[in-house]
């Protein structure tokens, strides 16, 4: 069994800030809960604000599908990363931090993508407010011509996450069309793909599993959660709705259930949803009952918030 993670590969710069409301840039808004893409021409002003008002806590490999594959690899399942890293020091640093995941699918060119994650300082049990700024760089250069379908067709499952560019999404659509029926498929669209509308629905259709938040679900299918779920289940077999500190819910055409999360003092929620994706997928592929798999995934996701970056991800999958 080999699981491929197909999505943007970003180096995460994780910061702590006293109050996100006071982090202002004249060229764009970075509000609590927002996820934006920064143009290169505005990056200088943004980085100057980071230096003045934020404290760098961690630099860690990132990208949703990559984070999920990291967790899957800890379960002893072979994993393959497919995406683009720059021909730069940042790309080398990223590769040096990869665990057991295969690097054979990683294309090297241009500049590595960056994600700047700003966590508001919090001493309560509530999850800290967070904002994300993405600089995609060479991730956006991925095209259909980069796809080696013979390599990807050897995978048992392909888990996809978002890119900024339409050309990269077209490459994912191409892979889906070639692989469907031969391997399992899942997608975590994130807000970036949730904003793309019909193109994302084309990618979702025929997937085995859709991972998303309630906000993303409604962005894709409409404002009513129940109606959105009904629409989603016409396109996919399983929907996992991630609800942060409230846990996660499982939906299929036959059944549904919710798993609560224990209260925990979160330091950094970056990647917690990806940890949930990876643990659930790994256990599901190993044949564990989905209800137990989701319980263990929720526990693992909660544990991952106790520190910064992948160093805080649980190295052993917790029991339910």
């Amino acid at each position: 069994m080999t699981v491929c993670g197909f999505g943007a590969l970003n180096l995460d710069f994780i910061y702590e800030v006293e109050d996100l409301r006071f982090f202002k840039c004249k060229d764009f808004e970075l509000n609590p809960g927002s996820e934006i893409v920064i143009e290169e021409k505005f990056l200088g002003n943004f980085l100057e604000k980071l230096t003045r008002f934020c404290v760098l806590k961690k630099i860690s490999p990132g990208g949703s599908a990559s984070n999920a594959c990291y967790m899957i690899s800890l379960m002893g399942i072979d994993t393959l990363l497919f995406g683009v890293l720059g021909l730069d020091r940042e790309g080398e640093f990223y590769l040096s931090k990869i665990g057991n995941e295969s690097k054979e699918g990683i294309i090297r060119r241009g500049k590595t993508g960056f994600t700047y994650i700003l966590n508001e300082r919090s001493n309560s049990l509530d999850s800290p407010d967070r904002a994300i700024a993405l600089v995609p760089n060479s991730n956006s250069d991925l095209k259909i011509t980069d796809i080696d379908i013979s390599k990807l067709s050897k995978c048992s499952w392909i888990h996809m996450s978002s890119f900024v560019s339409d050309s990269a999404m077209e490459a994912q659509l191409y892979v889906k069309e070639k692989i469907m029926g031969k391997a399992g498929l899942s997608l975590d669209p994130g807000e970036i793909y949730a904003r793309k509308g019909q193109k994302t629905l084309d990618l979702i259709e025929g997937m085995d599993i859709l991972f998303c938040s309630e906000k993303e679900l409604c962005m894709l299918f409409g404002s009513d959660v129940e109606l959105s779920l009904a629409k989603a289940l016409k396109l996919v077999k399983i929907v996992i709705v991630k609800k942060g500190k409230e846990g996660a819910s499982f939906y299929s055409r036959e059944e549904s259930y919710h798993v609560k999360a224990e209260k925990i003092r979160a330091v950094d929620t970056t990647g917690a949803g990806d940890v949930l994706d990876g643990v659930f997928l790994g256990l599901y592929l190993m044949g564990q009952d989905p209800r137990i798999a989701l319980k263990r995934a929720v526990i693992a996701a909660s544990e991952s918030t106790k520190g910064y970056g992948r160093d805080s991800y649980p190295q052993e999958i917790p029991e339910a």
Side-chain angles (χ1 to χ4, degrees):
M1 184 191 302
T2 301
V3 177
C4 172
F6 185 0
L9 302 175
N10 299 307
L11 195 58
D12 289 348
F13 293 80
I14 305 169
Y15 287 83
E16 185 179 70
V17 60
E18 187 69 34
D19 190 332
L20 275 168
R21 293 171 300 175
F22 297 113
F23 187 90
K24 300 290 184 182
C25 288
K26 62 180 180 180
D27 303 303
F28 54 84
E29 288 190 16
L30 191 63
N31 298 313
S34 66
E35 183 176 352
I36 66 168
V37 177
I38 296 185
E39 296 180 46
E40 191 78 30
K41 62 183 179 181
F42 298 139
L43 190 56
N45 181 37
F46 174 73
L47 293 178
E48 188 268 335
K49 295 283 187 182
L50 280 180
T51 302
R52 288 177 60 191
F53 296 108
C54 304
V55 177
L56 180 63
K57 307 299 288 190
K58 193 71 180 178
I59 302 174
S60 179
S64 181
S66 176
N67 289 338
C69 276
Y70 174 77
M71 294 305 302
I72 293 170
S73 72
L74 293 178
M75 292 182 242
I77 298 173
D78 290 339
T79 56
L80 170 73
L81 297 182
F82 189 86
V84 183
L85 281 176
L87 272 172
D88 49 23
R89 289 182 298 173
E90 291 82 1
E92 292 299 322
F93 178 82
Y94 192 109
L95 290 174
S96 73
K97 297 297 182 180
I98 288 177
N100 296 321
E101 309 96 298
S102 172
K103 308 169 187 175
E104 291 182 11
I106 295 178
I107 300 159
R108 302 292 306 280
R109 64 169 174 246
K111 295 174 66 176
T112 297
F114 299 150
T115 304
Y116 297 97
I117 299 151
L118 281 64
N119 290 300
E120 193 170 85
R121 188 176 295 118
S122 174
N123 294 315
S124 72
L125 288 174
D126 291 330
S127 296
D129 280 332
R130 183 187 67 171
I132 297 175
L134 176 65
V135 183
N137 290 331
S138 291
N139 283 303
S140 291
D141 297 335
L142 187 73
K143 299 176 178 63
I144 291 176
T145 51
D146 292 314
I147 303 299
D148 183 348
I149 204 67
S150 64
K151 184 176 294 184
L152 295 181
S153 63
K154 295 176 183 177
C155 297
S156 312
W157 194 282
I158 298 180
H159 177 62
M160 299 184 183
S161 61
S162 64
F163 290 89
V164 170
S165 69
D166 288 341
S167 67
M169 180 184 258
E170 290 294 334
Q172 289 181 317
L173 282 162
Y174 171 77
V175 169
K176 189 195 84 167
E177 291 167 3
K178 294 292 184 181
I179 294 296
M180 188 178 292
K182 302 174 185 176
L185 290 163
S186 55
L187 172 70
D188 190 328
E191 284 194 36
I192 289 175
Y193 272 8
R195 296 189 197 109
K196 286 182 179 281
Q198 186 59 47
K199 285 186 177 181
T200 303
L201 297 183
D202 292 342
L203 184 60
I204 289 171
E205 186 173 10
M207 290 276 172
D208 294 282
I209 304 176
L210 172 66
F211 296 92
C212 60
S213 68
E214 282 189 335
K215 178 182 178 181
E216 293 156 2
L217 184 72
C218 292
M219 288 172 71
L220 286 164
F221 296 101
S223 58
D224 184 89
V225 174
E226 289 191 10
L227 289 176
S228 294
L229 279 167
K231 291 177 182 178
L233 288 171
K234 290 180 180 179
L235 301 182
V236 302
K237 296 176 182 176
I238 294 171
V239 179
I240 303 293
V241 180
K242 298 179 284 187
K243 300 179 179 179
K245 63 181 180 181
E246 302 301 324
S249 297
F250 174 102
Y251 299 93
S252 70
R253 293 162 198 171
E254 294 79 31
E255 62 177 336
S256 64
Y257 46 84
H258 178 72
V259 174
K260 291 183 179 180
E262 292 185 9
K263 289 193 176 295
I264 193 170
R265 181 169 281 107
V267 173
D268 174 32
T269 59
T270 306
D274 308 330
V275 170
L276 188 148
D277 293 358
V279 173
F280 179 84
L281 262 181
L283 294 174
Y284 180 79
L285 293 174
M286 293 165 69
Q288 181 143 85
D289 177 85
R291 189 183 295 264
I292 302 301
L294 188 58
K295 286 181 179 179
R296 297 177 72 182
V298 167
I299 295 169
S302 295
E303 288 187 5
S304 74
T305 68
K306 293 179 179 178
Y308 296 97
R310 286 189 186 174
D311 286 351
S312 67
Y313 292 5
Q315 297 301 296
E316 294 185 3
I317 308 306
E319 296 295 333

